Every structure is written in structure tokens, then in C-alpha cells.
């Protein structure tokens, strides 16, 4: 695309793109007519265009700005060298200013890097075209961030806040008599967090709206300079132009962040969680444990299954046998899954880990990989499984390859698990002391199965 066309297109876009895009009442003919009024015949100007070493009729820009006619006579006058009274038709790159042919031949610019004024003006124009095009793209990105990301975040915060309230109120209702003060404290914490996030969103919206306005003003000013200045004025205003460009480049890019989301931990409470679990498991209307048993077809060849299907034992190599192929079986890792599947209600079960030094207990999706020894089949190393892992005396919660250390005051003999589907909560606890070991909340998207792995001795499901 030639320089003329780029200037024409840029000016047309800068002056009319917002109106044409946002006004649904304009039809195509009206938009076309508006563009023709600004860029008739593909040109913004009549006269000469200078480019490279060739010279075409000089540009005589049409100035539609109020008051521009008063200065039009000055714009057309060529500046003269104060020393030689010759026209300043050259640009000295060494000195960074306009000069004349006499200064280059015998004056202070002799031997300096010199280019023709029109050549220098062409370079400046091309740079302005590129900068203004980038500003236009950046403005679009900022508008999209404001209209889409911030708006979506506002809706998400409201949704998350409502869900947090529902979870808190559901748990408090189980033990309301002992938790009225805690209920109030938690609701206030959620309210504060919601207000904090909403304030962050408002701040972001105000900042980027102001930035967008400033960027648009700067770009409009540069476009006006680009399309309404002579070569001499354009090159002479180089410092001012550079300052405007620097201001625009310092705007930066909008970025999404976690600060624009509700911190779900604001609704966490050790007091509430402990009493809620105690009420479910030990209260007058205590939840009955779910009857679990290992599914034979999922048992790894590294394990043996008891006759009652409640105990799995890690086998030494010499005792292992290759079972018949089954797509549901784990073939390389010591894993086993249980039935029934869980997709609603509240479920609890207890696993006796005895003296085993290496085990995992938790839940997983039925879609978890069964073949191979990669992370997709390893419990706690993918997005399809959540487990409490014990190895070499250390206890940790594992999910998707990330682990969280769990403090132990004594060696566990049993591990209790509670899955509350309505609140999307998985809880691990010590059945002896009824103390909570770890709580995990996730948006479970499909039915879950109890899962275990053992690499030392045996573990059993307790009824």
C-alpha cells in the first residue's frame, strides 16, 4: 500500500470509525458518503506528495479544523537559513535540525549526514502511520477488556459470592444454635471481600476508561498533525511528537488477574467446618456411612483382593500373577477403585491403613486413565483425582501434581473421608479424634469413585 493510501485510510478510520461502528442507524450508503467526504478520490489532499528521491506535486492538506484558515498562510511559507538566507530544504541528522545547501557545502553541517527534507518528512510520516495503527489496535484491545473481561468478572464475582453464601448458610443450618455468631462473622467477611473485589473492578474500569480516552485523544492529535502539517512543520515538531508518542507507549496493556475474582477462602472457618463434620457424623441425625467395596475388575496385578472385597494388599514380585485383560484394570500402578459411584447427597467412609507406610486414599472420576504408569493414571497427579497421600512418614493432599503438606500430631491408623456433593466439598478427618485433616472444594463435573493405592502392606475399608 502506498504512503498516500495509508495516510488516507488512517485518517478516515481515525475520524469516523467510532461513529460508523457504533451507530446502527447508518446504512452502508451513509457510511460510504461520510468516508468520501473525508477521503475523496482516495486522497486527503491535493498537490504534492514527496517520497524517497522522487518528487510529486506538493501536499496541500485540507484543514477542516476551526481556526485553521488563520494560520494557512504561515504554513505554506518556507523557512530560510538565518546565516545564508537560503531555503531550509535539507535535514541534518547529525545536528537533528533543518539546514540549507550552503550550510552543507561550506557551513557548520559540512560532512554531516544530510537527507532531503521531503525524505525526512516521509520517514516521520511512516513512523506516525505505524504508531497510530498500533494505537488503534491497542484501543480495540482495551475496549474489549472493558466490555468483556471486566463485565464477565463482575458477573462471576456476584455468582461466586452467592454460592459462598449458600454454602455458609447450608452448613450453619446444621449447627445453628452454636454458630450464630460465626455465621454473622462469615457473612460479613464475604461481604467485605465482595466489596473489595468490586472496588478493584471499579478501579480497573475507571483506570482503563480514562486511559482509553487519553490514548484516543493522543492518537487523534497525532493524526491531525500527520494530516494537516507541512513537511517543515512536521519535522520541526519532532520533539513534541516524540513526547506524545512516549506518553502513549507508557500506557501498557490491560491484564486479567486473580484480584478481580472473589477469594473463596473468605468463607472458610475451622470452627464451622469442625462442628459441621461432627454434626454430620456424630449428631442426633448422624449420616450413615456409605457401604463401599473394591471393584474386582479395577484391581492392579500388583495387589491382591480379599474375599469380602474390602481389603487390598501389596504383593511382592514373586507372588504377582498376570490377570486377564480388562479395560477397567490398572495394569502398572498399585491402584484400586470402589463402588458405588457418587454424584449426589453426602457420603462418608473410613479406610483402615494399619501400619502401611505408603498409601493413598481419596476419590477420582471414572474416566481416569487405567493403563500405563504415567501421571494420567497416577492418583493425585492429574485433574481427575484427589487423594491424601502418606509416604515415608509425611502426609499430604495431592491433586493435579500439586501437593499440600498436612500436619500430623500422631500416626494415623484410620482415615475418614466425607464427600458432600451439594457443597462440592471433600474432607479428610481422623476418625479417632474427629479432627479435620484437610478440606478441598472443587466443582466436580461427573460422578466420583472412591480410590485407593497401596505400596506397603494392606489397607481396608471399614464398615
Amino acid at each position: 500500500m502506498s504512503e498516500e493510501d495509508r495516510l488516507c485510510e488512517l485518517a478516515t478510520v481515525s475520524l469516523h470509525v467510532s461513529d460508523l461502528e457504533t451507530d446502527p442507524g447508518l446504512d452502508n450508503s451513509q457510511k460510504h458518503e461520510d468516508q468520501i467526504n473525508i477521503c475523496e478520490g482516495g486522497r486527503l489532499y491535493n498537490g504534492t506528495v514527496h517520497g524517497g528521491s522522487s518528487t510529486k506535486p506538493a501536499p496541500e492538506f485540507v484543514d477542516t479544523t476551526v481556526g485553521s484558515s488563520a494560520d494557512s498562510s504561515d504554513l505554506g511559507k518556507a523557512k530560510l537559513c538565518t546565516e545564508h538566507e537560503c531555503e531550509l530544504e535539507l535535514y541534518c541528522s547529525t545536528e537533528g535540525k533543518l539546514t540549507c545547501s550552503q550550510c552543507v557545502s561550506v557551513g557548520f553541517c559540512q560532512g554531516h549526514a544530510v537527507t532531503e527534507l521531503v525524505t525526512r518528512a516521509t520517514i516521520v510520516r511512516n513512523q506516525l502511520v505505524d504508531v497510530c495503527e498500533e494505537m488503534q489496535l491497542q484501543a480495540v484491545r482495551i475496549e474489549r477488556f472493558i466490555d468483556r473481561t471486566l463485565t464477565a468478572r463482575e458477573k462471576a464475582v456476584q455468582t461466586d459470592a452467592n454460592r459462598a453464601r449458600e454454602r455458609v448458610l447450608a452448613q450453619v443450618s446444621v449447627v445453628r444454635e452454636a454458630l450464630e455468631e460465626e455465621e454473622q462473622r462469615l457473612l460479613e467477611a464475604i461481604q467485605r471481600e465482595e466489596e473489595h473485589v468490586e472496588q478493584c473492578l471499579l478501579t480497573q474500569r475507571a483506570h482503563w476508561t480514562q486511559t482509553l480516552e487519553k490514548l484516543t485523544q493522543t492518537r487523534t492529535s497525532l493524526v491531525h498533525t500527520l494530516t494537516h502539517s507541512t513537511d517543515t512543520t512536521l519535522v520541526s515538531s519532532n520533539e513534541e511528537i516524540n513526547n506524545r508518542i512516549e506518553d502513549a507507549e507508557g500506557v501498557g496493556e490491560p491484564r486479567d488477574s486473580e484480584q478481580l475474582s472473589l477469594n473463596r477462602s473468605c468463607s472458610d472457618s475451622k470452627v464451622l467446618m469442625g462442628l459441621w463434620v461432627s454434626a454430620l457424623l456424630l449428631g442426633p441425625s448422624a449420616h450413615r456411612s456409605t457401604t463401599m467395596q473394591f471393584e474386582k475388575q479395577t484391581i492392579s496385578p500388583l495387589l491382591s483382593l480379599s474375599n469380602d472385597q474390602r481389603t487390598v494388599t501389596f504383593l511382592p514380585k514373586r507372588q504377582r500373577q498376570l490377570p486377564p485383560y480388562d479395560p477397567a484394570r490398572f495394569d502398572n500402578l498399585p491402584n484400586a477403585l470402589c463402588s458405588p459411584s457418587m454424584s449426589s447427597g453426602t457420603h462418608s467412609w473410613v479406610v483402615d491403613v494399619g501400619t502401611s507406610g505408603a498409601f493413598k486414599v481419596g476419590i477420582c472420576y471414572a474416566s481416569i486413565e487405567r493403563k500405563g504408569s504415567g501421571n494420567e493414571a497416577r492418583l493425585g497427579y492429574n485433574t481427575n483425582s484427589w487423594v491424601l497421600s502418606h509416604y515415608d512418614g509425611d502426609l499430604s493432599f495431592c491433586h493435579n501434581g500439586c501437593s499440600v503438606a498436612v500436619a500430623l500430631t500422631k500416626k494415623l491408623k484410620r482415615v475418614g473421608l466425607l464427600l458432600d456433593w451439594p457443597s462440592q466439598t471433600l474432607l479428610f478427618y481422623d476418625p479417632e479424634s474427629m479432627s479435620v485433616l484437610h478440606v478441598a472444594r472443587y466443582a466436580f463435573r461427573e460422578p466420583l469413585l472412591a480410590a485407593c493405592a497401596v505400596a506397603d502392606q494392606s489397607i481396608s475399608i471399614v464398615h
Side-chain angles (χ1 to χ4, degrees):
M1 181 183 292
S2 68
E3 179 190 356
E4 300 174 57
D5 295 334
R6 295 180 71 195
L7 291 173
C8 174
E9 179 184 358
L10 181 60
T12 302
V13 171
S14 66
L15 295 174
H16 282 266
V17 69
S18 299
D19 295 337
L20 295 178
E21 288 180 351
T22 59
D23 190 351
L26 291 178
D27 57 23
N28 291 333
S29 62
Q30 289 174 303
K31 296 178 182 178
H32 180 65
E33 180 180 353
D34 288 340
Q35 293 179 351
I36 289 177
N37 290 335
I38 295 193
C39 184
E40 184 173 1
R43 300 285 194 283
L44 283 173
Y45 48 83
N46 303 314
T48 315
V49 171
H50 301 280
S53 60
S54 63
T55 303
K56 300 178 182 179
E60 189 174 314
F61 294 94
V62 179
D63 192 345
T64 58
T65 308
V66 176
S68 62
S69 60
D71 301 327
S72 60
S73 59
D74 293 336
L75 292 177
K77 294 180 180 179
K79 291 188 176 181
L80 300 180
C81 175
T82 56
E83 182 177 353
H84 301 104
E85 295 187 355
C86 295
E87 184 178 349
L88 297 175
E89 58 185 9
L90 300 173
Y91 178 79
C92 178
S93 300
T94 305
E95 297 293 333
K97 64 181 183 180
L98 298 175
T99 186
C100 70
S101 58
Q102 292 296 318
C103 291
V104 174
S105 300
V106 295
F108 65 91
C109 288
Q110 186 177 8
H112 290 183
V114 177
T115 58
E116 292 184 4
L117 173 60
V118 293
T119 302
R120 179 60 185 174
T122 298
I123 294 174
V124 174
R125 277 196 172 87
N126 288 337
Q127 290 174 344
L128 285 178
V129 169
D130 293 339
V131 169
C132 291
E133 287 178 349
E134 179 56 35
M135 288 181 184
Q136 181 180 356
L137 294 175
Q138 186 180 17
V140 171
R141 290 193 293 271
I142 293 175
E143 288 176 342
R144 186 179 297 120
F145 178 77
I146 293 174
D147 295 338
R148 297 182 184 179
T149 304
L150 294 183
T151 301
R153 283 294 183 181
E154 286 176 342
K155 294 179 180 178
V157 166
Q158 294 173 358
T159 301
D160 291 343
N162 290 334
R163 290 176 178 174
R165 291 190 189 93
E166 291 173 1
R167 180 172 65 248
V168 170
L169 293 174
Q171 293 174 349
V172 169
S173 65
V174 180
V175 287
R176 181 172 296 276
E177 291 181 0
L179 294 174
E180 289 181 353
E181 292 183 3
E182 187 71 359
E183 175 187 10
Q184 184 64 30
R185 184 188 71 82
L186 289 169
L187 292 176
E188 290 176 356
I190 294 173
Q191 184 67 28
R192 286 194 301 271
E193 177 63 13
E194 182 182 14
E195 292 173 354
H196 171 71
V197 177
E198 287 181 343
Q199 184 60 46
C200 289
L201 289 168
L202 289 174
T203 301
Q204 286 278 306
R205 181 178 289 276
H207 168 74
W208 287 112
T209 300
Q210 183 180 7
T211 299
L212 179 60
E213 293 175 356
K214 180 179 177 182
L215 187 68
T216 302
Q217 292 173 358
T218 302
R219 178 177 173 276
T220 301
S221 176
L222 289 175
V223 170
H224 184 272
T225 301
L226 175 67
T227 57
H228 294 81
S229 300
T230 63
D231 294 350
T232 302
T233 304
L234 186 65
V235 175
S236 299
S237 306
N238 193 43
E239 182 177 354
E240 180 184 356
I241 292 172
N242 287 338
N243 290 338
R244 292 180 182 177
I245 294 175
E246 273 185 25
D247 291 341
E249 290 175 346
V251 167
E253 293 288 338
R255 295 180 182 274
D256 197 0
S257 69
E258 290 301 321
Q259 293 180 348
L260 303 179
S261 299
L262 189 82
N263 182 5
R264 298 187 180 186
S265 64
C266 68
S267 62
D268 290 345
S269 168
K270 291 184 178 179
V271 174
L272 174 60
M273 185 60 65
L275 292 176
W276 177 65
V277 173
S278 298
L280 283 176
L281 300 176
L282 302 176
S285 303
H287 167 75
R288 295 184 61 184
S289 63
T290 304
T291 301
M292 293 276 185
Q293 65 178 17
F294 291 106
E295 285 294 329
K296 184 176 181 180
Q297 66 270 24
T298 68
I299 303 298
S300 166
L302 283 66
L303 305 175
S304 66
L305 178 64
S306 63
N307 291 333
D308 61 3
Q309 295 185 251
R310 299 178 185 174
T311 301
V312 287
T313 303
F314 184 74
L315 294 174
K317 289 185 178 180
R318 63 178 180 274
Q319 297 182 14
R320 298 173 188 171
Q321 297 180 354
L322 187 63
Y325 175 83
D326 194 311
R329 191 184 311 281
F330 293 91
D331 59 1
N332 278 285
L333 294 171
N335 299 343
L337 303 183
C338 303
S339 61
S341 64
M342 299 166 285
S343 59
S344 63
T346 302
H347 305 265
S348 66
W349 64 101
V350 175
V351 179
D352 188 342
V353 297
T355 57
S356 175
F359 64 85
K360 296 178 182 178
V361 294
I363 58 176
C364 72
Y365 292 138
S367 59
I368 191 171
E369 179 61 48
R370 314 293 178 92
K371 306 303 178 184
S373 57
N375 287 343
E376 293 304 310
R378 195 180 298 271
L379 295 179
Y381 281 79
N382 48 68
T383 58
N384 294 326
S385 57
W386 300 258
V387 297
L388 196 68
S389 175
H390 181 273
Y391 181 76
D392 199 21
D394 294 326
L395 192 66
S396 61
F397 171 76
C398 301
H399 171 65
N400 198 22
C402 298
S403 61
V404 178
V406 177
L408 277 178
T409 57
K410 63 182 183 68
K411 180 175 174 57
L412 288 175
K413 295 181 180 179
R414 292 183 174 184
V415 177
L417 295 91
L418 175 67
L419 174 64
D420 185 58
W421 190 272
S423 64
Q424 301 280 273
T425 301
L426 172 64
L427 183 142
F428 301 88
Y429 65 97
D430 180 357
E432 291 185 0
S433 63
M434 295 306 297
S435 60
V436 176
L437 300 174
H438 187 77
V439 179
R441 291 193 180 95
Y442 291 89
F444 302 120
R445 63 181 187 272
E446 58 184 88
L448 294 162
L449 298 173
C452 298
V454 57
D456 178 49
Q457 301 185 43
S458 302
I459 59 174
S460 304
I461 298 174
V462 179
H463 287 172

